[in-house]
């Protein structure tokens, strides 16, 4: 049996980019502008050209990206911000930072993304609790954009701004619109495991709104004004390191090619696995950047399935075993109606397989064989 395969093969990308990234890093080491150096402005111009957003501001991580937008909007106690529960904690964490209240919304089982009907219920729940619903943070989970055709009219009707948490979906498209241009603003993450990742923490915000961009630029550097020693608002130290910008500039060159590879690999997984599991289907008109490739397997012993795959040298991951409304720090916050049954059920059904642009057919076949063997064994055990 061949050795363990990686869940995400950053080493393969590193081999492809080695010289370019090393030269770029060395250039920063030598020019010495480690904070807000020329690579930061160059990256922001490239990011803006890539997705078409008027303003792209780099920042320290994806959580700060979300936080900067909420700070710029002046989110405050008494405000309710709607967001899904089936997401990474940062989506709701930044709402709590502001003293505001996250109100959790359920998801659609076909896409893992926000359920527009549950959004309506959550808005009513917020109002019943005498909170003021001001905005929605939608999440493009696993790399696939949420159902914006359904979400945007609800936001318009209810007077909510729309912030897109695209930490997992930068590079994806929604019916011809690029992620980064949807809603009032978009936040993304360049955490190393993300489709576009750097060599540490990094993030960015995108908006077409000049005023919002100006305020976020100030907030990112302690709320500085035109005179940098006259701080005009309370901000954060939220800058992206120049070295990370240099790495991202190199990675951005091959990003379109990597997106195409991810898509080819995900489609091949779908063809091979569709007969045995519920595979992630992308609705017509959308593209995903496949931050995760996530199966749903009904009524199964996930722990046994994971250990079978582990024994075959195949790593898997569960995103997310507990939706936020079940987590210690978040369980006291309100949720849509009486509960979030789809989030609860999917937390028990999901399992993510190795996914990255350098997964070969041969390795993918090994993963598929191991999935099939584990499922056959489970069915046998269940029948006994
Ligand atoms: C949906 C979502 N939102 C926000 C974040 C936060 O990004 P970061 O880890 O860069 O702070 C992440 C990534 O970890 C994420 O997956």
């Amino acid at each position: 049996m061949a050795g363990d395969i990686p869940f995400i093969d950053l080493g393969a990308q590193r081999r492809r980019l080695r010289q370019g990234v090393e030269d770029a890093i060395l250039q920063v080491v030598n020019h010495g502008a480690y904070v807000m150096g020329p690579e930061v402005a160059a990256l922001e111009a490239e990011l803006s050209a890539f997705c078409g957003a008027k303003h792209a501001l780099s920042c320290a991580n994806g959580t700060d990206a979300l936080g900067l937008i909420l700070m710029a909007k002046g989110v405050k106690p008494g405000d309710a911000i709607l967001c899904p529960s089936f997401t990474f904690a940062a989506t709701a964490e930044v709402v709590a930072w502001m003293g505001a209240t996250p109100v959790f919304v359920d998801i659609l089982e076909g896409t893992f993304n926000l359920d527009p009907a549950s959004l309506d219920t959550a808005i009513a729940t917020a109002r019943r609790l005498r909170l003021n619903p001001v905005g929605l943070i939608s999440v493009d989970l696993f790399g696939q954009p949420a159902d914006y055709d359904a979400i945007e009219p609800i936001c318009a009707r209810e007077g909510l701004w729309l912030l897109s948490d695209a930490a997992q979906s930068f590079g994806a498209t929604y019916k011809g619109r690029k992620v980064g241009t949807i809603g009032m603003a978009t936040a993304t993450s360049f955490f190393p495991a993300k489709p576009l990742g750097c060599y540490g923490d990094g993030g960015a915000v995108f908006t077409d709104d000049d005023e919002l961009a100006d305020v976020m630029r100030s907030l990112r550097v302690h709320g500085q004004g035109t005179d940098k020693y006259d701080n005009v608002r309370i901000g954060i130290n939220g800058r992206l390191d120049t070295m990370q910008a240099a790495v991202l500039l190199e990675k951005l060159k091959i990003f379109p090619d990597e997106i195409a590879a991810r898509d080819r690999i995900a489609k091949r997984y779908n063809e091979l696995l569709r007969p045995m599991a519920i595979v992630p289907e992308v609705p017509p008109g959308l593209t995903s950047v496949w931050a995760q490739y996530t199966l749903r397997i009904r009524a199964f012993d996930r722990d046994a399935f994971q250990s079978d795959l582990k024994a075959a040298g195949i790593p898997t991951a569960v995103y997310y075993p507990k939706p936020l409304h079940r987590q210690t720090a978040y369980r006291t916050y309100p949720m849509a109606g009486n509960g979030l049954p789809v989030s609860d059920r999917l937390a028990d059904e999901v399992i993510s397989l190795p996914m990255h642009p350098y997964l070969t057919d041969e390795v993918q076949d090994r993963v598929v064989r191991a999935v099939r063997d584990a499922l056959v064994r489970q069915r046998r055990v269940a029948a006994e």
Side-chain angles (χ1 to χ4, degrees), residues 178-244:
K178 291 216 166 116
V179 163
T181 61
I182 298 168
M184 167 195 77
T186 300
T188 198
S189 164
F190 302 129
F191 184 78
K194 297 290 190 250
L196 180 63
C198 54
Y199 283 180
D201 278 309
V205 293
F206 303 92
T207 187
D208 282 353
D209 182 328
D210 298 340
E211 202 185 317
L212 193 67
D214 278 351
V215 175
M216 290 193 292
R217 241 176 233 115
S218 155
L219 286 167
R220 176 175 65 173
V221 192
H222 304 287
Q224 77 178 17
T226 37
D227 168 356
K228 79 172 191 176
Y229 293 108
D230 181 25
N231 294 299
V232 295
R233 51 179 69 80
I234 307 294
I236 59 172
N237 177 357
R239 295 165 297 217
L240 178 74
D241 289 345
T242 308
M243 223 173 279
Q244 300 301 347

Side-chain angles (χ1 to χ4, degrees), residues 15 32 51 57-59 75 90 96 104 156 213 217-218 230 263 271 274 288 292 309 380:
R15 285 190 289 282
C51 73
L57 272 81
S58 59
C59 61
V75 170
F104 294 120
R217 241 176 233 115
S218 155
D230 181 25
D263 202 48
E271 277 162 29
R274 205 178 270 117
S288 172
Q292 299 297 338
L309 261 67
R380 210 176 41 232

Side-chain angles (χ1 to χ4, degrees), residues 17 53 155 209 251 279 322:
L17 285 176
C155 288
D209 182 328
K251 290 205 185 189
V279 297
K322 262 191 195 187

Side-chain angles (χ1 to χ4, degrees), residues 5-6 269 272-273 276 293 295 305 309 312-316 352-355 359-374:
I5 66 162
Y269 258 146
L272 297 171
L273 293 170
M276 48 187 127
Y293 180 85
L295 293 178
F305 181 84
L309 261 67
I314 314 291
T316 55
S352 300
L353 301 181
M355 166 50 87
L359 195 66
T360 60
D361 287 359
E362 192 192 343
V363 172
Q364 196 176 28
D365 288 342
R366 228 183 103 192
V367 177
V368 171
R369 265 197 311 276
V371 169
R372 190 178 44 229
D373 291 350

Side-chain angles (χ1 to χ4, degrees), residues 274-351:
R274 205 178 270 117
M276 48 187 127
I278 306 172
V279 297
E281 307 281 3
V282 179
L286 277 64
T287 61
S288 172
V289 285
W290 300 102
Q292 299 297 338
Y293 180 85
T294 304
L295 293 178
R296 287 166 52 211
I297 306 179
R298 286 227 168 98
F300 79 128
D301 182 344
R302 188 167 54 196
D303 290 345
F305 181 84
Q306 272 196 297
S307 38
D308 277 3
L309 261 67
K310 189 160 181 245
I314 314 291
T316 55
V318 174
Y319 301 113
Y320 297 92
K322 262 191 195 187
L324 294 181
H325 71 283
R326 300 276 173 205
Q327 295 189 19
T328 309
Y330 295 95
R331 65 168 66 111
T332 54
Y333 288 113
M335 57 189 152
N338 296 324
L340 308 178
V342 181
S343 302
D344 283 334
R345 182 153 49 75
L346 292 196
D348 291 336
E349 291 182 358
V350 289
I351 184 127

Side-chain angles (χ1 to χ4, degrees), residues 49-53 145 169-182 186:
F50 181 90
C51 73
S169 67
F170 188 65
T173 58
Y174 181 85
K175 303 190 180 173
R177 298 157 74 189
K178 291 216 166 116
V179 163
T181 61
I182 298 168
T186 300

Side-chain angles (χ1 to χ4, degrees), residues 61-63 66 87-88 90-91 139 165 167-168 189 191 194 202 320:
N61 53 66
T63 310
L66 292 165
T87 178
F88 183 65
T91 310
V139 177
D165 179 346
Q168 302 182 11
S189 164
F191 184 78
K194 297 290 190 250
Y320 297 92

